[in-house]
Amino acid sequence: MPIPGSGLAKGLAVTLRTMTKRSHTAQYPEVQPELPPRSRGVIGLFEENCTVCMLCARECPDWCIYIDSHKETVPAAAPGGRERSRNVLDRFAIDFSLCMYCGICIEVCPFDALFWSPEFEYAETDIHELTHERDKLREWMWTVPAPPALDPAAEEPKEIAAARKAVEKAEAAAAAAQAAAAAADAAPGTGPGAPGPGSGTPDTPAGGPA
C-alpha cells in the first residue's frame, strides 16, 4: 500500500533536482543551432541536373511545384546526323506555404536535381512570398551538406569507376608516348649528338673524300 503523500514527495524531488541544475539557454539568433545532417529545412535545386521530366510535380501530393519549359532544337553533332530537341527550364518554383516536407519530390527525381537543405530561416510576412523561384532554390543548394562517406566494402559508383578508368587510360597513353620518345632518342644515330645525314666521320671531312 503506497504511503500517503509519496506522489507529492516525488514530484517535489523532481522540482528540486531541476532547480539545482544550470539552465542551458540557446543564444539564437546570435548563435545558430547545430542541426542534424538530415534536417528537412528547405529544398535546393541543382538546375544543371534538371531535365524537366515533370516527375516531381506529378508525384507531389500537394501540387506545390510549378515548372515551365520550352523546347529547343539542338543541331546535329556530326555532318549528316539528325537534329535533336531538348527541354529548357524556364521556371521552377515551390510554394512552401503548401509544402508538407514529405520529400517525395526528392526521392522520385531520377537525375538528383533536388536536395534537402538545413536552411530554415525563410519566414515571410506575406504568404504569397513563400513561393520561391529557382534562383532562391539555387542559393539553398550551396548549403546542402555533403553526402556521408560510403562503406569501405561498398561497390564503387559507376560514375567514379568510369572517370577513374578514363584517367588511367589517358595516363597510360601519355606514359607510352614518353617511353617511345625516350627510346627514339636513345637509339643509335637518332640522338641529339648523333651525326646528321651527310656529315663525315672523325677521320673524314664532311662531304666525303675529296
Side-chain angles (χ1 to χ4, degrees), residues 121-179:
E121 297 176 319
Y122 56 96
E124 301 289 348
T125 56
D126 188 354
I127 193 173
H128 296 94
E129 296 180 359
L130 286 173
T131 300
H132 295 290
E133 301 292 335
R134 63 178 182 175
D135 295 337
K136 188 64 176 180
L137 301 180
R138 171 101 180 177
E139 292 178 10
W140 284 329
M141 184 64 208
W142 307 122
T143 61
V144 173
L150 296 176
D151 191 294
E155 182 180 355
E156 187 178 27
K158 296 180 180 180
E159 297 83 358
I160 297 179
R164 179 178 52 78
K165 290 180 180 179
V167 171
E168 292 176 353
K169 186 177 180 180
E171 291 177 350
Q178 291 179 359

Side-chain angles (χ1 to χ4, degrees), residues 80-149:
R82 296 179 57 185
E83 295 181 345
R84 299 183 298 106
S85 63
R86 66 184 183 94
N87 293 322
V88 179
L89 185 66
D90 293 328
R91 185 194 183 200
F92 194 109
I94 299 179
D95 187 354
F96 285 97
S97 66
L98 297 177
C99 178
M100 63 180 184
Y101 306 91
C102 62
I104 292 178
C105 57
I106 298 175
E107 296 295 332
V108 301
C109 180
F111 301 104
D112 291 335
L114 297 174
F115 297 86
W116 279 119
S117 168
E119 289 288 335
F120 62 92
E121 297 176 319
Y122 56 96
E124 301 289 348
T125 56
D126 188 354
I127 193 173
H128 296 94
E129 296 180 359
L130 286 173
T131 300
H132 295 290
E133 301 292 335
R134 63 178 182 175
D135 295 337
K136 188 64 176 180
L137 301 180
R138 171 101 180 177
E139 292 178 10
W140 284 329
M141 184 64 208
W142 307 122
T143 61
V144 173

